[in-house]
Amino acid sequence: MNLPPYAIFPIISGENISLRPILTSDIPDIIEISFYDSVQAKTVLQATEMQSKINRDYDNGNAIHWGIAENTTNFIIGTCGYYRGFDKETGELGCVLLPQFRGKGYMTAAMQLAIDFGLNNMGLKQIRAVTTKQNTNAIKLLERLHFIKISDLSYDEIEYELQTKSYITNSIHPKK
């Protein structure tokens, strides 16, 4: 497996968005979507401290966290990455998007870039995702990307796993 940290932090470009590092100058714009261990930042200082922890996790080889940048502006509209350890060639993929950018296809594009990177560059054999039962948009996104529900983790959380054969087949030969 080829796991973080990398000699050069990977920047992944798509048609409308790119996955890139989050800079200190980005933090004031993403406070409302800054989380660490399920705790949301309320201030720039808290978001900065959380980003430092995320960066430390990357440096320790336990995570890779990208900002989702809109290509035309380079503005961070969300975050995406693998946030849990990589035991047994498995990664847990998580994502969040600023509310004003939801429903425009940005997260689908970001998740596809991250999935492709995880499978092709990191050597992951399994990709999992956890969301709440109430987050119907996340559930629809995961199912559209060929994740299937594998367990109820609690009264509120559910776990999904990517069906890699379906994902790879449909990425090469998408349905029209």
Side-chain angles (χ1 to χ4, degrees):
M1 289 185 42
N2 182 18
L3 299 175
Y6 300 99
I8 299 172
F9 189 94
I11 298 172
I12 310 165
S13 295
E15 186 177 329
N16 297 318
I17 56 105
S18 295
L19 302 182
R20 68 161 175 85
I22 295 174
L23 308 173
T24 303
S25 58
D26 297 320
I27 292 175
D29 297 321
I30 60 169
I31 293 170
E32 70 182 288
I33 58 167
S34 293
F35 291 86
Y36 190 86
D37 284 341
S38 301
V39 177
Q40 183 178 8
K42 302 289 184 205
T43 66
V44 172
L45 178 61
Q46 288 175 333
T48 301
E49 290 170 353
M50 288 178 179
Q51 188 60 45
S52 292
K53 290 178 182 178
I54 291 167
N55 293 343
R56 216 171 13 261
D57 288 344
Y58 171 77
D59 291 339
N60 291 331
N62 297 319
I64 184 164
H65 179 82
W66 291 281
I68 304 167
E70 192 176 39
N71 284 343
T72 55
T73 63
N74 199 34
F75 182 78
I76 296 292
I77 61 173
T79 64
C80 171
Y82 295 98
Y83 303 108
R84 304 290 181 260
F86 303 113
D87 318 11
K88 300 177 186 170
E89 301 177 320
T90 299
E92 183 181 322
L93 186 59
C95 59
V96 63
L97 203 60
L98 287 167
Q100 65 268 36
F101 295 98
R102 294 177 186 158
K104 300 176 193 275
Y106 292 121
M107 190 55 77
T108 299
M111 293 283 282
Q112 287 173 324
L113 290 173
I115 290 167
D116 290 344
F117 186 84
L119 295 174
N120 299 320
N121 297 84
M122 296 174 70
L124 298 176
K125 302 292 185 223
Q126 291 183 324
I127 298 174
R128 296 192 173 179
V130 175
T131 190
T132 62
K133 292 177 181 177
Q134 296 77 26
N135 193 342
T136 56
N137 289 335
I139 292 168
K140 288 177 190 173
L141 171 66
L142 292 170
E143 290 173 352
R144 194 169 47 250
L145 291 170
H146 306 283
F147 282 77
I148 61 163
K149 179 181 171 184
I150 57 170
S151 68
D152 289 303
L153 297 177
S154 68
Y155 74 93
D156 187 42
E157 289 187 323
I158 46 180
E159 184 175 25
Y160 282 78
E161 182 175 286
L162 178 66
Q163 298 302 290
T164 53
K165 283 186 180 181
S166 293
Y167 178 81
I168 291 167
T169 300
N170 287 301
S171 293
I172 296 168
H173 306 288
K175 294 177 186 172
K176 296 185 180 190

